[in-house]
Structures are given as structure tokens and as C-alpha cells.
Amino acid sequence: MVPHSSGEFYLIKLSKRVNEVSYAIRDVLVHAKKLEAKGKEVIYLNIGDPLKYDFDTPEGLKEEMYKAVKDGRNGYSDSKGLSELREAISRKERDVNNVVLDPENIIVTTGVSEAINALVASLIEDGDEVLLPNPSYPPYISYSKFYHGKPVLYRTDEENMWFPDMEDLRKKISERTKAIFIINPNNPTGAVYESKTLKEIIDIAGEHGLPIVCDEIYDQIVYDGKFVSMASLSKDVPIIGLNGFSKTLLITGWRLGYIYFKEENGELSELKNGIEKILRVRLCSNTPAQYAVANFLNKSSDHLKGMVEKLRARRDYIMRRIEESDLLNCIKPKGAFYVFPRVSGTIPYSKDSDLVLDLLGEEGVLVVPGSGFTDGKLEGLYFRMVFLPRLEVLEDAMNRIERFLNRHRILS
Ligand code: PLP
């Protein structure tokens, strides 16, 4: 390194492992911001944050937050999270998801994002494999690579409502596999798995002595049928559950989530201790938010019904527009707030990222390329968009998308 006193410019080197991470959902923003700086109006359909649209944190929860701050709940808390909150989560999981958990087996985290990081860090050694759905929520892929593991993507089948392809899942299990991951309801596809599918995954995990990791952050944002939690079905296969409050309580910016461990015979005890150890290093998650959510969870979840109904109308609208188009195909999402349409072969793009950037440049609509949700391959051109905005905005966005696709279609 050149000493500072020499006056020469010197570049601080970046660690190699940073190259392993990416987050397509926010990476595309850079391009949109540049366009906006030039005066172009952009419709943002990239980030799954209801608070960027016409959804707001329930008033009662805001009041709990003011109260917590006013009452002086502003110091550090226990690294595992407040016992009041862990108890409230245990009651929520019992009442909503039929999952019985000792609060001692629940750890509060700074969003599910932190839980993914701490879990993967504690679970894998160099070269270990984790089985992830294809497509997948990107941090699962990024963190697996960051910790020098190997994300192995199992196929989920568009023809079968984007459910996991069990044969492919079985085939991909190896000596190095550490866990089977599922995201249910799914981001980006909106699939909500049936009990039969969940039981098949439990059987496969049981046969191979593997734990299942299930991300259920959208558990209460479901439009058709009933959501079934993986942990409510498993008897002796260890389940690591990831969940949080960003979406269901409309507090994405407060950063609060949790990880839980459901086991019969202490199979997860070492892993749980490891995760606690890692989380002690980051001290604790947001204390006033923990108090506020603990109090609020014990009172009401009245806002959810209105929120889900509002979203259902938007989902139905966007699906009607997609079905009317001969250039898009999409499996109707049953949960979460994303659509993941496939673009017809008559659109001459080989890379979805080129399509997304041209759509942004020409029509000012920002979506996320399907390839951002995989580390391997997706057969076909896909993009993900949120259906969180008001109907007028969705209508405008769909008109622009249609115009773009029609302009680029190859006429036969
Ligand atoms: N898991 C899934 C499937 C998500 O879609 C998201 C956010 O979009 C997260 C986790 C991250 O949530 P949090 O805000 O709790 O970090």
C-alpha cells in the first residue's frame, strides 16, 4: 500500500466475497434513479413494500410505538428478543398457524433478512449445499454463496401451479446437502403449497435426515384457500421457521422478524445456540419496535382483512389484464403480492434484463428480471412485478407494458 503521506491516490481493495452477493430487486433501482434525474416519470413495481403505496401501519400499532418510546423503552434488549414478544409470537403461531412453540425456541431478528444471514452462516461449511426453490427470493442465494456454500436449485413447476418438482428435489440431494428450503407463500411466484405437497417434502427430508427451512413471511396474505404452515404438519422432521412483521403488520422499515425451531429430540439445539451466539454479536433488534409489536399482537389483527381484500381486487385486475394479453402468461398468485409473468416467444429478447431495461427506458415502468430470482436457469423470459399500487396506477402500468410488448413483437 502506498503511504498516505506520499500524496498518491490509492484504492482500498474490496473483499472477494462481496462479489458473491446481489439483490436484483434493488439493483435495478440505479437505472430508474438515473432516468428520474433526467426528468422521466417512473412507475415503481419492483419492491415488495406496501408502505410505498396506499397501505399504512395500523394506527394502534403506531400508538404502541409512540408509547414505547415515551415510556423509555429505548435501550438495548436481550439478544434473543424480549420475552414479551417471544411469548406473543408463540401465541400468534399457535392461533394463526396451529404451530405449538416454546418461546425459548423463538429468536427475534432484525427482519427475516437477518434471520437468513444468521441461519446460513451457522448451517454451512465451505462447499455445503442448500436446496432452494427455483425461482427463489434472492438473499437465500446470495447468503449461501457469501458463506462459501453452494445453492442448489430444485425445479418448481409452472405447469403445476409452481409447486416443487419432487423428483427433481430428490435427485438434487447429495452428501453435502444441509437443508431443504421452501418459501410459502412464495416470492416471486405467489404459489401457496397444499398440505399434500408439504407432506411430501417432509417425507423426503425425513428419509434423508434433513431439516426443513420454511419462510412463511406472507402467511396471512393469502387470497384463495387456506394457508397451512409446514411446522403444523411435521411430527419428527426438524423445522426451522422464518417469519416476520414487515408485510403483515405493515412495518417494513421497523425491521422485525423471527426464527423458530421446532424439534422433537433437540436435533436443532446446536444450531439454535450457534445462531444465538451470532446474534449476540449484533447486540439486539430494535427495542421500542419489539415492545410495540408485542403489545399490538396481543390485541388485534383487524387491519389484515381490509388489506387482503384490497390486494385481492388488485390481483384480480392484474390477472385479468395478463389473461387478456396474448404476449404474457401467468399462473394466478394465491398469496403474497407479486405476479411472475412469462413473456411470449414472439418478443425478440434473449435476456430478461435487457427487456426490463428497455421497458424502463421506453415506458418508464420498473419491474425485476426473472433471472434475479435464480442462480441457474429459468426456461423462458420472466419478470416480477408487485400488484401493490392503486388500480389506476396498475392500469397505467399495464397499458405501458402492453404498448412496449406490442412495439417489439415479431409479426408472423
Ligand atoms: N422473505 C421473503 C420471502 C420476502 O419476500 C422478504 C421481503 O420481501 C423477506 C424475507 C425479507 O423480509 P424482512 O423485511 O423481514 O427482512
Side-chain angles (χ1 to χ4, degrees):
M1 190 198 291
V2 183
H4 196 58
S5 56
S6 73
E8 280 180 43
F9 167 79
Y10 59 91
L11 183 70
I12 307 301
K13 278 262 188 240
L14 182 69
S15 80
K16 280 202 214 77
R17 84 177 76 80
V18 175
N19 293 327
E20 306 294 349
V21 302
S22 64
Y23 192 61
I25 299 163
R26 284 176 183 252
D27 292 347
V28 287
L29 262 181
V30 182
H31 305 279
K33 293 287 170 205
K34 274 191 200 151
L35 271 185
E36 259 186 352
K38 287 188 201 150
K40 190 165 176 108
E41 180 224 355
V42 175
I43 303 180
Y44 287 92
L45 301 176
N46 59 318
I47 293 189
D49 184 354
L51 288 121
K52 297 233 177 319
Y53 306 91
D54 62 337
F55 295 88
D56 196 10
T57 312
E59 282 308 313
L61 181 50
K62 286 186 193 168
E63 272 152 30
E64 292 293 350
M65 185 66 152
Y66 305 142
K67 189 167 171 302
V69 173
K70 283 262 188 207
D71 288 352
R73 312 288 202 188
N74 300 307
Y76 290 132
S77 59
D78 192 297
S79 293
K80 278 183 76 171
L82 294 175
S83 56
E84 293 91 323
L85 179 56
R86 288 186 287 109
E87 280 158 22
I89 292 169
S90 162
R91 280 193 291 276
K92 177 241 152 173
E93 284 298 332
R94 184 197 60 202
D95 297 346
V96 175
N97 289 332
N98 200 20
V99 178
V100 178
L101 293 170
D102 182 338
E104 278 309 302
N105 287 334
I106 299 169
I107 308 176
V108 178
T109 56
T110 304
V112 173
S113 313
E114 185 183 60
I116 301 171
N117 183 353
L119 168 65
V120 177
S122 310
L123 186 67
I124 61 174
E125 302 285 358
D126 286 10
D128 281 345
E129 297 173 4
V130 289
L131 277 170
L132 305 177
N134 191 25
S136 211
Y137 178 57
Y140 289 99
I141 298 169
S142 282
Y143 281 127
S144 304
K145 290 162 82 173
F146 187 77
Y147 290 111
H148 298 159
K150 191 170 156 210
V152 175
L153 299 172
Y154 61 86
R155 183 169 169 265
T156 62
D157 184 3
E158 189 179 13
E159 309 268 290
N160 183 26
M161 298 181 289
W162 286 111
F163 285 2
D165 174 341
M166 298 301 168
E167 226 182 282
D168 193 54
L169 178 57
R170 270 182 195 285
K171 257 197 340 230
K172 299 222 161 118
I173 295 175
S174 81
E175 295 275 286
R176 299 298 305 260
T177 308
K178 298 296 290 208
I180 300 174
F181 286 62
I182 68 159
I183 302 166
N184 180 40
N186 189 271
N187 176 5
T189 63
V192 178
Y193 301 158
E194 292 164 356
S195 298
K196 181 172 164 283
T197 304
L198 297 172
K199 283 183 190 154
E200 277 177 59
I201 298 173
I202 291 172
D203 289 345
I204 296 173
E207 281 166 33
H208 292 86
L210 294 170
I212 299 172
V213 179
C214 48
D215 178 332
E216 299 182 348
I217 192 169
Y218 299 100
D219 58 355
Q220 291 174 285
I221 307 178
V222 170
Y223 311 106
D224 309 307
K226 195 179 156 7
F227 170 75
V228 180
S229 170
M230 180 62 105
S232 71
L233 297 178
S234 171
K235 293 203 172 58
D236 44 18
V237 168
I239 307 288
I240 301 154
L242 303 176
N243 209 322
F245 305 107
S246 287
K247 321 281 179 173
T248 50
L249 293 189
L250 296 161
I251 47 167
T252 45
W254 290 14
R255 314 302 304 123
L256 215 57
Y258 56 95
I259 178 166
Y260 67 73
F261 305 86
K262 186 168 178 286
E263 57 186 1
E264 272 301 294
N265 307 301
E267 297 90 341
L268 300 173
S269 55
E270 227 183 73
L271 184 70
K272 189 183 98 180
N273 289 340
I275 292 172
E276 278 183 36
K277 197 170 165 200
I278 287 188
L279 293 177
R280 286 200 287 275
V281 181
R282 67 67 160 121
L283 312 191
C284 67
S285 34
N286 183 328
T287 306
Q290 291 188 63
Y291 276 104
V293 169
N295 288 337
F296 187 75
L297 278 184
N298 292 335
K299 285 183 195 153
S300 92
S301 52
D302 290 350
H303 69 286
L304 269 167
K305 199 161 172 280
M307 175 183 167
V308 171
E309 284 318 306
K310 204 154 110 175
L311 283 169
R312 183 200 303 281
R314 294 173 191 191
R315 189 255 336 228
D316 290 348
Y317 173 76
I318 207 92
M319 281 309 299
R320 183 166 64 69
R321 290 295 305 266
I322 290 174
E323 277 156 17
E324 278 167 10
S325 162
D326 62 339
L327 297 169
L328 294 173
N329 273 296
C330 185
I331 301 297
K332 192 177 188 175
K334 292 200 158 81
F337 32 62
Y338 311 97
V339 277
F340 195 61
R342 183 160 40 83
V343 180
S344 145
T346 57
I347 304 296
Y349 279 92
S350 55
K351 280 171 76 182
D352 52 13
S353 49
D354 291 342
L355 180 141
V356 163
L357 288 183
D358 285 355
L359 172 65
L360 174 68
E362 292 176 32
E363 293 290 347
V365 177
L366 184 65
V367 297
V368 187
S371 55
F373 299 88
T374 185
D375 187 43
K377 263 183 86 170
L378 279 175
E379 297 297 334
L381 274 185
Y382 293 88
F383 63 86
R384 188 199 79 170
M385 61 185 263
V386 299
F387 52 81
L388 290 163
R390 283 179 291 114
L391 286 175
E392 309 85 270
V393 180
L394 287 179
E395 184 180 9
D396 186 9
M398 283 309 293
N399 291 345
R400 294 181 194 211
I401 292 172
E402 269 289 303
R403 203 157 56 213
F404 172 84
L405 294 175
N406 275 315
R407 189 158 57 239
H408 288 274
R409 81 192 296 166
I410 299 170
L411 295 171
S412 52

